[in-house]
Amino acid sequence: MRNSLRAKIITVCNDKITKKGETVGLSFYAFFANRNDDPVLLMEAAEWWIKTHELDHFEKAVKIRDMVEAGA
């Protein structure tokens, strides 16, 4: 996964955790605008989420942030 996507995921997760608490869940769509303006990046996130790690549609933001920070 490219570094810019990793940074965006960490930022979004931290923002959600700050606003809604450590139990907040999210999907990989949380890292993108409502419009599909970067399909390659969206597919990169989807592949990491679905194919590589076989995550559920919604996961805890803390879990995702920790996975990305650990280099998963």
Side-chain angles (χ1 to χ4, degrees), residues 32-72:
F32 299 93
N34 286 336
R35 57 192 341 203
N36 189 3
D37 56 356
D38 192 342
V40 174
L41 193 61
L42 177 66
M43 291 306 295
E44 187 176 332
E47 183 171 326
W48 180 89
W49 193 285
I50 298 166
K51 273 181 91 175
T52 304
H53 295 288
E54 298 178 351
L55 298 170
D56 289 336
H57 184 77
F58 283 95
E59 293 286 351
K60 301 290 184 210
V62 171
K63 175 182 178 178
I64 299 304
R65 180 198 60 200
D66 292 348
M67 287 175 69
V68 172
E69 286 179 340

